[in-house]
Amino acid sequence: MPDCKSQAFFSAAAKVHDTTAFKADSVIFTRDSLHFGATISWPANREACPGIVLVSGTGQQNRDGLMAGHPVFKELAAFLNGIGFAVLRMDDRGVGQTNGVYETATTADFAADALVAAAFLKHQKGITKVGLMGHSEGGAAVCIAAAQSKEPAFIVSLAGLAAPGLEALKAQNRAIVDGTAGISDSKRMRLNMLNDSVFTTIAQHVSDSDSGMIRAVRGTYERWKLKDNAMLKPDSNAFRERIYFPIDRFSIQAAGRWFRFHIAYHPAAYMPAIKVPVLAINGDKDIMVPASVHLPYFQKYTGKGILTTVVISQMNHLLQECVSCKPDEYAKPTQHLHPQLLAALGNWLLLQKR
């Protein structure tokens, strides 16, 4: 089997941008009332090989993982096919050929979907074993799946959520605010205070009724607003510094199933039960899922001897090799999967083929 310094590896990496290089089959599989549309792409040699199910992150995505104009999962599948893995990538709930309502599902539901996909792929002729690979929220979903089932042979988390939900939301929003150009330090401080306050309130009231949750979040906002208005009165730039927060829409969203599960998520409930090899890769320039916040939880809660963690320099949340590493760079046509990411994946996954 080739290592990542071999001609075989470089050949696979080169084919990332040629997503037609490998044979692909469109498939449909079902669970209860759900039916999932997916594509299975195969290595050039379709004899016995392992398989991987790709699991997407937050937000409805099609099977190609189209994000900021880039088919991230389609390119990733081409690389994985090139190193000898079959890949199943599927439309999210409510997208393409998959039915269901995405907005009422949780990360636990996406974990269940991943297990159904893994079982389907495992039953395809020539598949020897199946692993799960999740991006962003999908990183948490594959951990939940591996904790609840013996079906996955290994799991890979790419820019994956691993921290408790409350900590993850605070860190993510703080990074976004702190990285926003054109606002004052005072406005940054006030925005961070507001975000921290409402997220803490949601966590404290996560078991309340919908109406109770909405009242609690709105109450926190109103109390913050009174203090904020008083703070702004002596400021000559008060109008420019004013913060507009969509509290009505946000409080309803906070009462939904996804938000409640997400903010209550804790890796301690799942990671200790994982018994298969785990690879967790994060980028040092990822403001959505910062490596420094999330990787320590893999290290704390996964068992000894099964975990490999990698931090990729100059990699953003879409797994791209970035320059400015700001979100406005995501959509540039020159952006592609980070070569160091592919090297780390190739080295580790080839070990899983044994």
Side-chain angles (χ1 to χ4, degrees):
M1 291 179 291
D3 66 23
C4 292
K5 295 179 182 178
S6 72
Q7 184 59 42
F9 169 76
F10 289 114
S11 176
K15 289 177 181 175
V16 164
H17 310 307
D18 181 9
T19 54
T20 64
F22 302 95
K23 179 174 173 53
D25 300 322
S26 292
V27 296
I28 298 286
F29 56 95
T30 62
R31 176 171 70 89
D32 300 327
S33 62
L34 290 171
H35 59 262
F36 300 88
T39 294
I40 302 177
S41 54
W42 300 87
N45 183 349
R46 280 189 60 166
E47 294 180 359
C49 66
I52 294 175
V53 172
L54 300 183
V55 182
S56 67
T58 304
Q60 286 178 294
Q61 296 166 34
N62 66 12
R63 67 189 69 185
D64 291 341
L66 190 64
M67 293 178 278
H70 296 281
V72 176
F73 277 13
K74 192 173 184 179
E75 291 190 356
L76 186 57
F79 171 74
L80 298 172
N81 293 153
I83 60 171
F85 287 78
V87 179
L88 184 152
R89 58 187 198 273
M90 57 185 166
D91 297 326
D92 284 346
R93 293 186 183 203
V95 177
Q97 291 184 299
T98 301
N99 68 347
V101 181
Y102 183 89
E103 291 77 12
T104 59
T106 70
T107 314
D109 295 317
F110 304 143
D113 295 347
L115 288 174
V116 173
F120 178 79
L121 182 57
K122 181 71 178 293
H123 281 90
Q124 303 305 300
K125 184 178 179 180
I127 296 296
T128 57
K129 59 183 176 180
V130 174
L132 301 177
M133 182 178 295
H135 173 249
S136 193
E137 182 189 352
V142 301
C143 287
I144 294 171
Q148 295 177 341
S149 170
K150 295 180 180 179
E151 186 73 41
F154 57 85
I155 61 172
V156 179
S157 169
L158 301 177
L161 172 74
L166 177 59
E167 181 179 348
L169 283 166
K170 286 183 176 181
Q172 181 182 90
N173 282 269
R174 187 172 290 273
I176 292 170
V177 169
D178 291 348
T180 301
I183 61 174
S184 67
D185 290 342
S186 171
K187 192 168 186 176
R188 284 192 179 88
M189 176 194 70
R190 292 160 48 231
L191 278 166
N192 286 328
M193 288 175 58
L194 172 58
N195 287 332
D196 286 355
S197 296
V198 295
F199 290 142
T200 298
T201 297
I202 295 167
Q204 291 171 340
H205 294 268
V206 73
S207 298
D208 287 7
S209 65
D210 288 358
S211 60
M213 172 70 82
I214 291 169
R215 282 196 303 272
V217 173
R218 288 178 176 171
T220 293
Y221 173 76
E222 293 301 332
R223 289 188 293 274
W224 172 87
K225 191 65 175 172
L226 286 173
K227 294 179 181 179
D228 197 59
N229 286 341
M231 188 184 304
L232 281 179
K233 280 183 179 179
D235 190 335
S236 60
N237 296 314
F239 183 80
R240 181 172 60 84
E241 290 287 284
R242 195 167 297 279
I243 292 170
Y244 298 93
F245 189 81
I247 187 61
D248 290 336
R249 185 174 76 246
F250 179 78
S251 60
I252 293 171
Q253 180 186 8
R257 290 183 70 240
W258 182 88
F259 216 110
R260 289 175 186 268
F261 184 93
H262 183 66
I263 206 162
Y265 174 79
H266 200 291
Y270 303 101
M271 288 184 181
I274 298 172
K275 305 302 180 186
V276 297
V278 179
L279 173 63
I281 303 180
N282 289 70
D284 70 343
K285 300 299 183 183
D286 184 349
I287 67 170
M288 303 302 289
V289 182
S292 61
V293 173
H294 292 267
L295 286 183
Y297 284 96
F298 276 109
Q299 294 159 346
K300 181 175 182 179
Y301 289 114
T302 52
K304 291 183 179 179
I306 66 171
L307 174 67
T308 301
T309 61
V310 181
V311 177
I312 304 293
S313 177
Q314 294 299 118
M315 188 173 83
N316 63 23
H317 189 59
L318 296 194
L319 312 177
Q320 301 165 335
E321 185 174 18
C322 56
V323 179
S324 72
C325 300
K326 295 180 180 179
D328 61 4
E329 192 178 29
Y330 291 159
K332 290 185 177 180
T334 53
Q335 291 294 92
H336 296 292
L337 295 175
H338 200 302
Q340 291 180 22
L341 166 71
L342 299 181
L345 275 176
N347 275 327
W348 190 85
L349 285 171
L350 288 172
L351 296 175
Q352 309 315 311
K353 292 179 72 174
R354 295 175 179 172

